[in-house]
């Protein structure tokens, strides 16, 4: 017999030996000897009050019942001689599309513009230390996509798009800690994700799939409204039947290519803003109601904030406790910032994007002459502004938080985790008013919701511009482009995902959809 129950345990009681057994027995009105095993199904922290509580959902095994192994079996098979499906991009969507193809007996042929996870590190060093951006190998492009070296947060609200548990268990199968199956806000960590990504690559190759790095797609051949061939950067042409387009939200050249070929695109609302960085101790003291440092049983505290300002949402995005800010530009001549956290989240800083909703139909009238590309061009303009304001390198423009809100240039800045460095700049006036004014109001509101958040010990750093794609590549209910047969827009680049897990689920769905047409 198995009983699933909810337990609430005070933080000071969690150090007691066999506390879960004791509390489960008390909850069920039985003795500890009646319990054969306990499996933690979910764990979360309730820190709303000074008495911090750990919430557990557990399965209690009685009458000699034993926990069963994973209910998912990944039945990978040799597909070396099977029909081919071509996948452009090897981020979460592309990886999971390839794995699903193998499960269903089709051979994935992956074309990735960037480098493998090991070689990619050299280009990240070049960005951080020498301010040199490789347009094909950076924090956005390369094996594993933007997630590999940006964070590894797995929290998703996209529960209706696919089987979240299946995605998690596949990550565990490929080397992620099984703690992600339990935590309410699971996280792998930037330092551990590369190994998981490498293991996924090895699975695909082992079962007969192909992965080609440094293979940027530059053109398509389309005949009678069907995609027939792909043209690579080395002038190589590949005949194709079905193509899953999983290039990510920063592959602007793909949007331009589709637009030049008169393939239907749609402008899409998105969000832009800045990244704010506090000392982690400040966030801990606010969230955990402590002044002298958090309890060693607690992880670095995170937060989630939202405020409506002038009919637009202002909200936190990709919050990274114990993390670092990284340069996420994909071209020289632009500055883009993003956040990441190692698995231990042991940096002294906490950072988060704070962004403003951009209604592409109402807010960008000056860009209307650019049609569906207006959001993309607006995004690029802000990134160029940040580049110039930072001094023409990957040094990022910044202000102290209070100076930003009060409209004053900072005479000096706080310490930062951002390796290329910061330069004081008047972001309050450089950002367009539709973003800057709302951010200033939003920060004041956040300071009232989290006492101590609004402080001159925090830096505001620009710009956080790659929250999602400003363009959507339309698709039918069968997930195929309505105009081009055999083309399956997928993941964040298509406008159908917002993070690792939702992109992975969409990759699986697109693989199934492509196979259904073969």
């Amino acid at each position: 017999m198995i009983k699933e129950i909810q337990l609430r345990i005070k933080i000071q009681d969690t150090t007691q030996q066999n506390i879960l057994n004791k509390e489960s027995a008390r909850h069920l009105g039985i003795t500890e000897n009646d319990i054969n095993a306990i499996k933690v199904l979910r764990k979360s922290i309730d820190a709303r009050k000074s008495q911090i509580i750990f919430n557990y959902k557990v399965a209690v095994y009685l009458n000699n019942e034993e926990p069963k192994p994973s209910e998912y079996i990944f039945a990978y098979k040799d597909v070396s001689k099977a029909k081919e499906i071509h996948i452009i991009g090897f981020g979460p969507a592309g990886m999971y599309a390839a794995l699903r193809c193998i499960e269903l007996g089709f051979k994935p042929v992956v074309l990735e513009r960037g480098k493998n996870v090991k070689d990619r590190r050299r280009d990240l060093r070049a960005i951080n230390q020498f301010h040199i951006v490789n347009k094909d190998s950076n924090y956005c492009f390369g094996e594993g996509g933007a997630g590999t070296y940006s964070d590894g947060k797995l929290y998703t609200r996209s529960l209706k798009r696919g089987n979240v548990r299946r995605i998690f268990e596949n990550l565990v199968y490929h080397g992620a800690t099984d703690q992600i199956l339990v935590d309410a806000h699971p996280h792998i960590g930037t330092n551990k994700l590369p190994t998981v990504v490498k293991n996924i690559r090895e699975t695909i190759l082992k079962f007969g799939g192909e992965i080609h790095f440094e293979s940027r797609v530059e053109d398509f051949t389309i005949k009678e409204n069907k995609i027939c061939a792909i043209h690579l950067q080395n002038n190589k042409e590949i005949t194709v039947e079905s193509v899953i387009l999983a290039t990510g939200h920063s592959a602007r050249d793909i949007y331009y290519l589709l637009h030049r070929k008169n393939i239907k695109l749609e402008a899409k609302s998105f969000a832009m803003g800045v990244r704010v960085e506090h000392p982690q101790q400040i966030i801990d003291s606010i969230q955990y109601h402590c002044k002298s440092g958090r309890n060693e049983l607690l992880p670095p505290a995170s937060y989630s904030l939202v405020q409506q300002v002038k009919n637009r949402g202002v909200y936190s995005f990709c919050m990274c406790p114990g993390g670092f800010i990284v340069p996420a530009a994909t071209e020289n001549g632009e500055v883009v910032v993003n956040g990441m956290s190692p698995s231990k989240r042991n940096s002294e800083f906490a950072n988060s994007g704070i962004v403003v909703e951009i209604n592409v139909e109402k807010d960008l009238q000056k860009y209307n002459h650019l049609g569906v590309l207006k959001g993309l061009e607006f995004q690029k303009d802000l990134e160029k502004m940040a580049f110039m304001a930072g001094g023409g390198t990957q040094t990022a423009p910044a202000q102290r938080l209070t100076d930003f809100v009060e409209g004053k240039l900072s005479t000096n800045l706080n310490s930062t985790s951002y390796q290329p460095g910061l330069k004081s700049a008047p972001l309050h006036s450089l950002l367009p008013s539709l973003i800057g004014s709302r951010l200033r109001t939003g920060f004041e509101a956040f300071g009232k919701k989290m006492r101590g958040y609004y402080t001159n010990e925090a830096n505001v750093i620009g710009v956080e511009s790659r929250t999602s794609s400003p363009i959507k590549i339309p698709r039918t209910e069968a997930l195929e482009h309505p105009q081009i047969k055999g083309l399956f827009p997928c993941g964040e680049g298509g406008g159908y995902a917002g993070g690792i897990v939702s992109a992975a689920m969409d990759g699986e769905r697109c693989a199934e959809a492509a196979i259904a047409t073969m």
Side-chain angles (χ1 to χ4, degrees):
M1 181 185 297
I2 306 172
K3 294 277 190 179
E4 290 190 6
I5 61 174
Q6 303 280 349
L7 301 175
R8 286 175 57 81
I9 300 176
K10 296 177 180 178
I11 187 171
Q12 62 267 30
D13 294 337
T14 59
T15 56
Q16 294 181 29
Q17 189 174 10
N18 298 323
I19 185 63
L20 291 181
N21 288 57
K22 291 177 182 178
E23 289 299 310
S24 296
R26 184 189 60 79
H27 183 94
L28 295 171
I30 59 177
T31 70
E32 290 184 57
N33 290 334
D34 294 324
I35 298 175
N36 192 48
I38 289 179
K39 182 178 181 180
V40 177
L41 303 177
R42 182 68 66 191
K43 180 182 178 182
S44 63
I45 298 170
D46 184 350
R48 290 174 294 178
K49 298 180 180 179
S50 58
Q51 176 59 71
I52 296 176
I53 301 291
F54 282 99
N55 291 317
Y56 290 90
K57 180 181 180 181
V58 300
V60 183
Y61 293 79
L62 308 171
N63 302 329
N64 297 319
E65 189 85 35
E66 291 283 352
K68 295 179 180 178
S70 169
E71 61 189 277
Y72 295 107
I73 297 173
F74 301 100
Y76 300 127
K77 58 198 73 174
D78 182 7
V79 295
S80 56
K81 297 181 181 179
K83 284 187 176 181
E84 295 179 348
I85 291 180
H86 290 79
I87 301 167
I88 304 176
F90 198 51
M95 289 191 297
Y96 272 81
L99 291 171
R100 189 63 179 141
C101 284
I102 292 172
E103 282 187 284
L104 298 175
F106 286 76
K107 179 179 179 177
V109 178
V110 180
L111 304 168
E112 166 57 49
R113 70 191 299 158
K115 299 177 183 179
N116 68 51
V117 76
K118 181 179 178 181
D119 293 342
R120 193 176 167 190
R121 290 182 180 138
R122 299 187 187 96
D123 297 309
L124 301 187
R125 179 171 176 264
I127 300 173
N128 280 294
Q129 295 188 13
F130 310 118
H131 302 245
I132 299 170
V133 181
N134 181 328
K135 69 177 183 178
D136 290 321
S137 179
N138 44 61
Y139 277 99
C140 291
F141 300 143
E143 185 175 20
T148 302
Y149 288 110
S150 62
D151 198 59
K153 282 187 287 294
L154 302 177
Y155 181 70
T156 181
R157 293 184 176 90
S158 303
L159 303 180
K160 296 182 179 179
R161 296 184 184 179
N163 193 324
V164 174
R165 178 82 179 188
R166 171 185 163 85
I167 301 300
F168 283 12
E169 293 210 6
N170 204 320
L171 288 169
V172 173
Y173 178 89
H174 285 101
T177 172
D178 59 6
Q179 190 64 32
I180 66 173
L181 303 174
V182 173
D183 289 343
H185 291 269
H187 168 259
I188 296 177
T190 305
N191 54 321
K192 294 187 175 181
L193 263 171
T195 298
V196 176
V197 168
K198 178 178 71 71
N199 291 342
I200 291 174
R201 179 220 309 162
E202 290 175 352
T203 292
I204 293 168
L205 297 177
K206 175 182 176 182
F207 290 96
E210 295 181 16
I211 303 171
H212 302 274
F213 294 110
E214 299 182 70
S215 297
R216 183 177 67 251
V217 172
E218 294 195 334
D219 202 358
F220 304 120
T221 295
I222 296 170
K223 295 180 180 179
E224 298 180 353
N225 293 327
K226 186 176 191 319
I227 189 164
C228 300
I230 293 171
H231 302 263
L232 302 182
Q233 66 197 74
N234 56 6
N235 296 319
K236 183 178 180 181
E237 180 177 329
I238 302 172
T239 301
V240 299
E241 186 171 344
S242 288
V243 174
I244 296 173
L245 190 61
T247 48
H249 60 44
S250 290
R252 291 168 171 167
D253 54 340
I254 293 295
Y255 298 133
Y256 288 129
L257 170 61
L258 296 173
H259 190 250
R260 284 198 309 271
K261 300 182 86 66
N262 294 316
I263 296 173
K264 186 177 181 182
L265 301 171
E266 297 173 1
K268 171 179 145 314
S269 293
F270 58 110
M272 293 180 66
V274 295
R275 191 152 281 263
V276 63
E277 184 171 59
H278 290 79
Q280 180 64 51
Q281 185 274 330
I282 289 179
I283 304 303
D284 289 342
S285 67
I286 298 170
Q287 300 295 72
Y288 293 143
H289 322 284
C290 60
K291 294 183 179 179
S292 58
R294 68 177 183 272
N295 188 299
E296 62 181 6
L297 297 175
L298 293 169
S302 62
Y303 61 83
S304 178
L305 293 166
V306 63
Q307 181 72 27
Q308 284 293 313
V309 181
K310 300 176 186 175
N311 298 314
R312 296 289 181 272
V314 179
Y315 58 92
S316 57
F317 171 82
C318 186
M319 195 273 150
C320 299
F324 302 87
I325 298 178
V326 297
T330 51
E331 294 274 358
N332 288 296
E334 63 189 28
V335 165
V336 181
V337 292
N338 193 10
M340 58 169 264
S341 296
S343 59
K344 293 183 179 180
R345 289 180 161 168
N346 54 358
S347 162
E348 62 184 283
F349 298 101
N351 71 78
S352 177
I354 304 294
V355 296
V356 177
E357 174 190 2
I358 307 296
N359 185 312
V360 75
E361 300 301 328
K362 297 180 180 179
D363 295 335
L364 303 181
Q365 294 181 2
K366 292 182 180 179
Y367 290 78
N368 279 345
H369 64 286
L370 297 169
V372 296
L373 300 178
K374 57 187 173 182
L376 181 61
E377 295 301 327
F378 177 71
Q379 190 184 59
K380 287 174 64 177
D381 282 351
L382 260 66
E383 293 169 4
K384 291 175 184 176
M385 174 276 293
F387 178 78
M388 297 304 295
T393 67
Q394 285 303 302
T395 299
Q399 273 176 286
R400 288 180 183 254
L401 172 56
T402 49
D403 290 341
F404 175 78
V405 173
E406 294 169 12
K408 300 186 301 185
L409 182 68
S410 298
T411 56
N412 54 62
L413 298 168
N414 297 297
S415 298
T416 182
S417 65
Y418 184 69
Q419 194 172 345
L422 303 179
K423 179 181 178 181
S424 180
L427 283 172
H428 65 276
S429 61
L430 291 172
L431 289 169
S433 60
L434 72 96
I435 295 175
S437 65
R438 288 184 171 94
L439 285 175
R440 292 162 77 179
T441 301
F443 277 126
E444 287 188 292
F446 295 160
K448 295 174 182 177
K449 294 180 179 183
M450 290 177 61
R451 300 291 179 182
Y453 183 89
Y454 181 66
T455 171
N456 67 357
E457 293 184 59
N459 287 329
V460 168
I461 302 168
V463 290
E464 174 83 25
S465 54
R466 306 285 180 93
T467 59
S468 65
S469 171
I471 289 177
K472 184 176 184 178
I473 308 174
R475 65 189 188 188
T476 65
E477 290 185 4
L479 310 189
E480 193 171 29
H481 193 279
Q483 182 184 353
I484 307 300
K485 295 296 182 184
L487 181 64
F488 296 84
C490 181
E492 291 202 37
Y496 300 99
I500 291 173
V501 176
S502 58
M505 289 191 293
D506 201 58
E508 289 201 329
R509 292 179 64 215
C510 285
E512 293 164 2
I515 287 168
T517 66
M518 300 286 279

